[in-house]
Amino acid sequence: MGEVTGAQVIAEALRAQNVEYMFGIVGVPVIEIAMAAQAAGIKYVGMRNEQAACYAASAVGYLTGRPAVCLVVSGPGLIHALGGMANANINCWPLLVIGGSSDQNKETMGAFQEFPQVEACRLYSKFAARPSSLGAIPSVMEKAVRSSIYGRPGACYIDIAGDMVTASVDKSGVRVVPCCPPPPLSLAGPGEVAEAVSVLKASKRPLIIVGKGAAYGRAEDEICQLVELCGLPFLPTPMGKGVLPDDHPNCVAAARSRALLEADVVVLLGARLNWILHFGHPPRFSPQVKVIQVDLCAEELGNNVKPAVALLGDVRGVVAQLLGCFRKDTWKYGSDTEWWKSLREKMVANEKVSKALALRSSLPMNYYTVFHHVSQLLPRDCIIVSEGANTMDIGRTMLHNYLPRHRLDAGTFGTMGVGLGFSIAAAMVQSDPSTRQRVVCVEGDSAFGFSGMEVETICRYKLPVIIIVVNNNGIYSGVDVETWKEMAKMGDLTTMAPPVTLLPEARYHEVMSAFGGRGFLVRTPRELREALSLSLDDWERPSLLNVLIDPTSDRKQQEFPWLTRSNL
């Protein structure tokens, strides 16, 4: 039947598992793997940093439900990718990392970039293995892909010895392993479903919380039917935005603090009671709140708060079970209740404060002014990637999402530096030019610095990405140009400059221009609108808007700190 190389075996095994995308940085010993992957029909995207490559691959897993590959070299190359693996694992996104490693006959000898890679990756993945032979590769690949998408999704690692890449084997000695089927769907017990329905019907102040697990689980149609059939208010988590449109009449995101604090029954759909939801504890939640928890991971049930009802199963299937019960007696929560009146009152008050901040005419602009004008111009179907501190948090409330899986941000791990990798992934998965959607990456100047060189990747592949850098000269806050000059006159900036400061008015837009994209320096609302309109009209070149804002700009006063800390 002829001989095939290890690189070809790897590529064909990946194609057999319906892997379509590979991101990475090539070098010894993985160059041949990337070339074989391209020959097998896998799209290869060469990145500038392994961490960004891993972020991109993990985002493909979230957006498509099938893992993409992050291909890295040995030692430092793999170590750079560990941040992306950890982010994928904690976000519960499928990811497959393939790392080259030292030749088998040089182990323990101090080989080039020798490192205990399989052992290291076990901390950051669901599954880590090193195939013992070329013939074993297809089976290991299948198990890695299956492990990444079955149960709670996550990262998996496969280690490939350098001498296996170029070694040859008779094709008849390589067993073909068919593609693993989609994950089996599990449903909650009928008794628990009936109990959940009973608890919800008895509620005076119900609240549905929609998490990114619901987005990943493609549960948008069922959740929309549940919300509208029963008349329930819902609150999306940051990446749960868009499962139902942010402008849906039942969305109470603008009254988030009140909704969490006063709800007496909370239904968790694909969301975890972690730091994002303040662990379900007082003072953000009522001590008497009853939680109905829907999760596909049994270990998550009862984490931090003992649920009144625990529904173990696929979120889409479980919501369909709930719908079946509610349709039998057409129960509906009243829209004229005191709970709804209280929520609407708070939403109006909060929106009034945000609007007042947005319409301030003073320069430099503040966050609210920037997001007000951006939100008016963004297409309804655009994918919003967001990262940064205030940039991400204020943007979450002002930049609306209307479709599921159309927001990507720092996620459960709170990872900075994901923005450009996520943007590249979101642009790559839109293969049909007739239906492609705009990808708009909105990030702070500090966040941009983590992976700014990926601008070259965006330009090289001519991806229709618009980057908006909201530039406040620092991390959380910076200083203006004059203050910076005064500090420089007073002494050594390493002892004078606050640790949160960055170079004032840095010309980030020129980075985009350097690689052939369009760069805009923006100081006023008019310049912002003009630059964004031009960028949205241009599908041929990516753009970067460097939006200079007041270095002291901050969010409106919060009822609670964004990160609830224990007083113990």
Side-chain angles (χ1 to χ4, degrees), residues 532-559:
L532 185 52
S533 296
L534 286 170
S535 300
L536 288 168
D537 289 339
D538 188 350
W539 285 85
E540 300 302 318
R541 286 187 295 171
S543 300
L544 191 152
L545 283 61
N546 183 15
V547 184
L548 305 184
I549 68 168
D550 183 350
T552 63
S553 178
D554 203 351
R555 74 185 72 188
K556 65 182 178 67
Q557 185 175 358
Q558 304 291 293
E559 294 180 47

Side-chain angles (χ1 to χ4, degrees), residues 478-558:
V479 299
D480 58 32
V481 173
E482 293 306 315
T483 303
W484 182 263
K485 290 179 179 178
E486 289 299 316
M487 288 191 302
K489 289 178 183 177
M490 293 170 63
D492 185 352
L493 283 171
T494 61
T495 58
M496 296 299 300
V500 295
T501 55
L502 299 171
L503 183 68
E505 299 190 359
R507 298 306 200 245
Y508 298 113
H509 57 289
E510 294 183 3
V511 177
M512 178 66 84
S513 300
F515 298 115
R518 304 182 68 166
F520 300 89
L521 180 64
V522 171
R523 295 180 185 271
T524 68
R526 180 177 178 179
E527 291 173 349
L528 174 59
R529 296 183 73 93
E530 289 176 352
L532 185 52
S533 296
L534 286 170
S535 300
L536 288 168
D537 289 339
D538 188 350
W539 285 85
E540 300 302 318
R541 286 187 295 171
S543 300
L544 191 152
L545 283 61
N546 183 15
V547 184
L548 305 184
I549 68 168
D550 183 350
T552 63
S553 178
D554 203 351
R555 74 185 72 188
K556 65 182 178 67
Q557 185 175 358
Q558 304 291 293

